[in-house]
Amino acid sequence: MTDSQTTPPQEPTPGADPGPTQSPALDQGTYTGIREPRGEGRLALDGQWHQISPRYVTSQFVQNAIFIAVVVMAALVLSLVLHQAWAWIPAGVIVVVTLITLVVLPRQAKAIGYMLRTDDIVFRKGILWQRMIAVPYGRMQLVDITHGPLDRAFGVSQLKMVTAAATTGVQIPGLSQAAAEALRDTLIEVAETRRTGL
């Protein structure tokens, strides 16, 4: 098991620049405490982390259950109709890997967060392998919201930020529709002011 803890939402440091105006929609229906690794080696920032919706986990469970059902049906057809018994080996591996992914998914979802700072947005994910990406507002070229049929059914979206450097693009999954739209509007507004130097 990973050595981790749940950190309650952090309030901005008094006297510090709070960054762009943040809509209350960013924290409605989300996890209430971000899960972080323990120890001195962890990456820590001062500011308020916003998290994703727990409905993201439900959506992923349903999508992966459908995927597992398709894999099992394909293996059944290959083994019973075409007499290809070997099909159960790759099908079994795929199902086991998918189930392991689903077991750790709720812990991973609680470790996903983003922070709106004065000059950039910071996205973080992971506990064992923690990753943080800072995207300067002035470098953003495109803010895109996507959601498939099942995502719409559960009311979650994915927000993608594209910059001039492809390696710094960020995708934030599991946002509620209201949070995705509020975050998009905030990022576009702040990016415009940074580009014009206001």
Side-chain angles (χ1 to χ4, degrees), residues 10-35:
Q10 301 170 356
E11 295 298 324
T13 306
D17 188 344
T21 304
Q22 301 178 30
S23 169
L26 299 180
D27 295 316
Q28 291 176 354
T30 64
Y31 289 111
T32 56
I34 197 158
R35 185 175 288 276

mmCIF file of all heavy atoms in Angstrom, residues 10-35:
data_model
loop_
_atom_site.group_PDB
_atom_site.id
_atom_site.type_symbol
_atom_site.label_atom_id
_atom_site.label_comp_id
_atom_site.label_asym_id
_atom_site.label_seq_id
_atom_site.Cartn_x
_atom_site.Cartn_y
_atom_site.Cartn_z
ATOM 1 N N GLN A 10 -6.493 23.588 1.605
ATOM 2 C CA GLN A 10 -5.610 24.612 2.132
ATOM 3 C C GLN A 10 -6.126 25.992 1.749
ATOM 4 O O GLN A 10 -6.518 26.225 0.616
ATOM 5 C CB GLN A 10 -4.198 24.418 1.573
ATOM 6 C CG GLN A 10 -3.615 23.059 1.915
ATOM 7 C CD GLN A 10 -2.332 22.796 1.147
ATOM 8 O OE1 GLN A 10 -1.923 23.587 0.321
ATOM 9 N NE2 GLN A 10 -1.706 21.687 1.440
ATOM 10 N N GLU A 11 -6.128 26.875 2.701
ATOM 11 C CA GLU A 11 -6.506 28.252 2.431
ATOM 12 C C GLU A 11 -5.283 29.023 1.947
ATOM 13 O O GLU A 11 -4.156 28.729 2.344
ATOM 14 C CB GLU A 11 -7.052 28.915 3.707
ATOM 15 C CG GLU A 11 -8.348 28.289 4.196
ATOM 16 C CD GLU A 11 -9.476 28.418 3.187
ATOM 17 O OE1 GLU A 11 -9.534 29.459 2.511
ATOM 18 O OE2 GLU A 11 -10.281 27.483 3.065
ATOM 19 N N PRO A 12 -5.467 29.995 1.076
ATOM 20 C CA PRO A 12 -4.331 30.791 0.616
ATOM 21 C C PRO A 12 -3.638 31.481 1.789
ATOM 22 O O PRO A 12 -4.268 31.872 2.758
ATOM 23 C CB PRO A 12 -4.977 31.814 -0.328
ATOM 24 C CG PRO A 12 -6.281 31.209 -0.731
ATOM 25 C CD PRO A 12 -6.717 30.372 0.430
ATOM 26 N N THR A 13 -2.334 31.623 1.676
ATOM 27 C CA THR A 13 -1.549 32.262 2.722
ATOM 28 C C THR A 13 -1.943 33.725 2.852
ATOM 29 O O THR A 13 -2.033 34.441 1.844
ATOM 30 C CB THR A 13 -0.048 32.173 2.373
ATOM 31 O OG1 THR A 13 0.256 30.816 2.133
ATOM 32 C CG2 THR A 13 0.807 32.714 3.490
ATOM 33 N N PRO A 14 -2.220 34.225 4.096
ATOM 34 C CA PRO A 14 -2.595 35.636 4.269
ATOM 35 C C PRO A 14 -1.508 36.558 3.729
ATOM 36 O O PRO A 14 -0.326 36.334 3.937
ATOM 37 C CB PRO A 14 -2.740 35.773 5.789
ATOM 38 C CG PRO A 14 -2.991 34.389 6.287
ATOM 39 C CD PRO A 14 -2.242 33.479 5.353
ATOM 40 N N GLY A 15 -1.933 37.584 3.017
ATOM 41 C CA GLY A 15 -0.987 38.549 2.476
ATOM 42 C C GLY A 15 -0.424 38.156 1.125
ATOM 43 O O GLY A 15 0.182 38.963 0.448
ATOM 44 N N ALA A 16 -0.612 36.882 0.725
ATOM 45 C CA ALA A 16 -0.087 36.435 -0.558
ATOM 46 C C ALA A 16 -1.083 36.773 -1.655
ATOM 47 O O ALA A 16 -2.276 36.922 -1.414
ATOM 48 C CB ALA A 16 0.167 34.931 -0.539
ATOM 49 N N ASP A 17 -0.585 36.907 -2.891
ATOM 50 C CA ASP A 17 -1.463 37.175 -4.019
ATOM 51 C C ASP A 17 -2.290 35.931 -4.282
ATOM 52 O O ASP A 17 -1.750 34.874 -4.580
ATOM 53 C CB ASP A 17 -0.608 37.528 -5.248
ATOM 54 C CG ASP A 17 -1.461 38.018 -6.397
ATOM 55 O OD1 ASP A 17 -2.690 37.800 -6.365
ATOM 56 O OD2 ASP A 17 -0.895 38.599 -7.337
ATOM 57 N N PRO A 18 -3.619 35.997 -4.170
ATOM 58 C CA PRO A 18 -4.438 34.809 -4.319
ATOM 59 C C PRO A 18 -4.581 34.323 -5.748
ATOM 60 O O PRO A 18 -5.138 33.261 -5.984
ATOM 61 C CB PRO A 18 -5.794 35.257 -3.760
ATOM 62 C CG PRO A 18 -5.824 36.726 -4.022
ATOM 63 C CD PRO A 18 -4.398 37.195 -3.896
ATOM 64 N N GLY A 19 -4.080 35.085 -6.722
ATOM 65 C CA GLY A 19 -4.210 34.667 -8.100
ATOM 66 C C GLY A 19 -5.552 35.081 -8.675
ATOM 67 O O GLY A 19 -6.216 35.972 -8.156
ATOM 68 N N PRO A 20 -6.000 34.428 -9.762
ATOM 69 C CA PRO A 20 -7.243 34.823 -10.404
ATOM 70 C C PRO A 20 -8.463 34.554 -9.514
ATOM 71 O O PRO A 20 -8.418 33.720 -8.613
ATOM 72 C CB PRO A 20 -7.281 33.954 -11.668
ATOM 73 C CG PRO A 20 -6.320 32.863 -11.434
ATOM 74 C CD PRO A 20 -5.326 33.340 -10.447
ATOM 75 N N THR A 21 -9.539 35.270 -9.805
ATOM 76 C CA THR A 21 -10.789 35.051 -9.087
ATOM 77 C C THR A 21 -11.285 33.635 -9.375
ATOM 78 O O THR A 21 -11.329 33.215 -10.527
ATOM 79 C CB THR A 21 -11.850 36.075 -9.540
ATOM 80 O OG1 THR A 21 -11.328 37.385 -9.349
ATOM 81 C CG2 THR A 21 -13.121 35.913 -8.754
ATOM 82 N N GLN A 22 -11.650 32.910 -8.313
ATOM 83 C CA GLN A 22 -12.013 31.509 -8.468
ATOM 84 C C GLN A 22 -13.493 31.312 -8.167
ATOM 85 O O GLN A 22 -13.988 31.706 -7.118
ATOM 86 C CB GLN A 22 -11.140 30.649 -7.549
ATOM 87 C CG GLN A 22 -9.657 30.817 -7.878
ATOM 88 C CD GLN A 22 -8.746 30.030 -6.965
ATOM 89 O OE1 GLN A 22 -9.117 28.988 -6.469
ATOM 90 N NE2 GLN A 22 -7.549 30.525 -6.758
ATOM 91 N N SER A 23 -14.184 30.685 -9.095
ATOM 92 C CA SER A 23 -15.616 30.454 -8.971
ATOM 93 C C SER A 23 -15.901 29.401 -7.906
ATOM 94 O O SER A 23 -15.162 28.421 -7.780
ATOM 95 C CB SER A 23 -16.176 29.983 -10.318
ATOM 96 O OG SER A 23 -17.496 29.510 -10.172
ATOM 97 N N PRO A 24 -16.982 29.573 -7.123
ATOM 98 C CA PRO A 24 -17.369 28.541 -6.150
ATOM 99 C C PRO A 24 -17.697 27.206 -6.808
ATOM 100 O O PRO A 24 -17.635 26.159 -6.160
ATOM 101 C CB PRO A 24 -18.614 29.133 -5.476
ATOM 102 C CG PRO A 24 -18.574 30.596 -5.755
ATOM 103 C CD PRO A 24 -17.837 30.758 -7.056
ATOM 104 N N ALA A 25 -18.017 27.212 -8.111
ATOM 105 C CA ALA A 25 -18.351 25.971 -8.825
ATOM 106 C C ALA A 25 -17.176 24.998 -8.870
ATOM 107 O O ALA A 25 -17.368 23.792 -9.021
ATOM 108 C CB ALA A 25 -18.804 26.298 -10.248
ATOM 109 N N LEU A 26 -15.945 25.514 -8.707
ATOM 110 C CA LEU A 26 -14.770 24.642 -8.762
ATOM 111 C C LEU A 26 -14.741 23.631 -7.624
ATOM 112 O O LEU A 26 -14.109 22.583 -7.749
ATOM 113 C CB LEU A 26 -13.483 25.483 -8.732
ATOM 114 C CG LEU A 26 -13.288 26.474 -9.881
ATOM 115 C CD1 LEU A 26 -11.977 27.221 -9.713
ATOM 116 C CD2 LEU A 26 -13.351 25.777 -11.234
ATOM 117 N N ASP A 27 -15.399 23.940 -6.513
ATOM 118 C CA ASP A 27 -15.351 23.059 -5.345
ATOM 119 C C ASP A 27 -16.700 22.427 -5.003
ATOM 120 O O ASP A 27 -16.848 21.823 -3.946
ATOM 121 C CB ASP A 27 -14.826 23.841 -4.130
ATOM 122 C CG ASP A 27 -13.385 24.283 -4.319
ATOM 123 O OD1 ASP A 27 -12.579 23.469 -4.784
ATOM 124 O OD2 ASP A 27 -13.084 25.453 -4.022
ATOM 125 N N GLN A 28 -17.666 22.533 -5.871
ATOM 126 C CA GLN A 28 -18.971 21.939 -5.603
ATOM 127 C C GLN A 28 -19.004 20.493 -6.078
ATOM 128 O O GLN A 28 -18.715 20.196 -7.231
ATOM 129 C CB GLN A 28 -20.080 22.735 -6.299
ATOM 130 C CG GLN A 28 -20.293 24.107 -5.684
ATOM 131 C CD GLN A 28 -21.320 24.928 -6.431
ATOM 132 O OE1 GLN A 28 -21.804 24.538 -7.479
ATOM 133 N NE2 GLN A 28 -21.644 26.101 -5.889
ATOM 134 N N GLY A 29 -19.330 19.578 -5.144
ATOM 135 C CA GLY A 29 -19.441 18.164 -5.484
ATOM 136 C C GLY A 29 -18.114 17.491 -5.754
ATOM 137 O O GLY A 29 -18.048 16.528 -6.519
ATOM 138 N N THR A 30 -17.031 17.984 -5.147
ATOM 139 C CA THR A 30 -15.708 17.393 -5.356
ATOM 140 C C THR A 30 -15.227 16.711 -4.076
ATOM 141 O O THR A 30 -15.869 16.803 -3.026
ATOM 142 C CB THR A 30 -14.682 18.475 -5.745
ATOM 143 O OG1 THR A 30 -14.529 19.388 -4.647
ATOM 144 C CG2 THR A 30 -15.119 19.240 -6.977
ATOM 145 N N TYR A 31 -14.091 16.019 -4.168
ATOM 146 C CA TYR A 31 -13.453 15.495 -2.968
ATOM 147 C C TYR A 31 -13.057 16.673 -2.076
ATOM 148 O O TYR A 31 -12.808 17.770 -2.560
ATOM 149 C CB TYR A 31 -12.209 14.680 -3.323
ATOM 150 C CG TYR A 31 -12.522 13.363 -3.988
ATOM 151 C CD1 TYR A 31 -12.205 13.145 -5.326
ATOM 152 C CD2 TYR A 31 -13.126 12.327 -3.285
ATOM 153 C CE1 TYR A 31 -12.483 11.935 -5.952
ATOM 154 C CE2 TYR A 31 -13.407 11.121 -3.895
ATOM 155 C CZ TYR A 31 -13.083 10.925 -5.228
ATOM 156 O OH TYR A 31 -13.365 9.729 -5.830
ATOM 157 N N THR A 32 -12.982 16.427 -0.767
ATOM 158 C CA THR A 32 -12.745 17.539 0.163
ATOM 159 C C THR A 32 -11.324 17.588 0.713
ATOM 160 O O THR A 32 -10.966 18.545 1.384
ATOM 161 C CB THR A 32 -13.714 17.451 1.354
ATOM 162 O OG1 THR A 32 -13.573 16.165 1.972
ATOM 163 C CG2 THR A 32 -15.154 17.628 0.879
ATOM 164 N N GLY A 33 -10.511 16.596 0.456
ATOM 165 C CA GLY A 33 -9.131 16.619 0.944
ATOM 166 C C GLY A 33 -8.225 15.878 -0.013
ATOM 167 O O GLY A 33 -8.465 14.711 -0.333
ATOM 168 N N ILE A 34 -7.192 16.550 -0.503
ATOM 169 C CA ILE A 34 -6.321 15.919 -1.491
ATOM 170 C C ILE A 34 -5.394 14.917 -0.818
ATOM 171 O O ILE A 34 -4.920 15.135 0.295
ATOM 172 C CB ILE A 34 -5.525 16.985 -2.281
ATOM 173 C CG1 ILE A 34 -4.958 16.387 -3.559
ATOM 174 C CG2 ILE A 34 -4.437 17.619 -1.422
ATOM 175 C CD1 ILE A 34 -4.632 17.415 -4.614
ATOM 176 N N ARG A 35 -5.183 13.784 -1.466
ATOM 177 C CA ARG A 35 -4.328 12.735 -0.929
ATOM 178 C C ARG A 35 -2.901 12.982 -1.403
ATOM 179 O O ARG A 35 -2.648 13.081 -2.598
ATOM 180 C CB ARG A 35 -4.815 11.367 -1.396
ATOM 181 C CG ARG A 35 -4.060 10.196 -0.784
ATOM 182 C CD ARG A 35 -4.681 8.884 -1.187
ATOM 183 N NE ARG A 35 -5.953 8.666 -0.517
ATOM 184 C CZ ARG A 35 -6.073 8.165 0.706
ATOM 185 N NH1 ARG A 35 -5.002 7.858 1.392
ATOM 186 N NH2 ARG A 35 -7.259 7.969 1.229
#
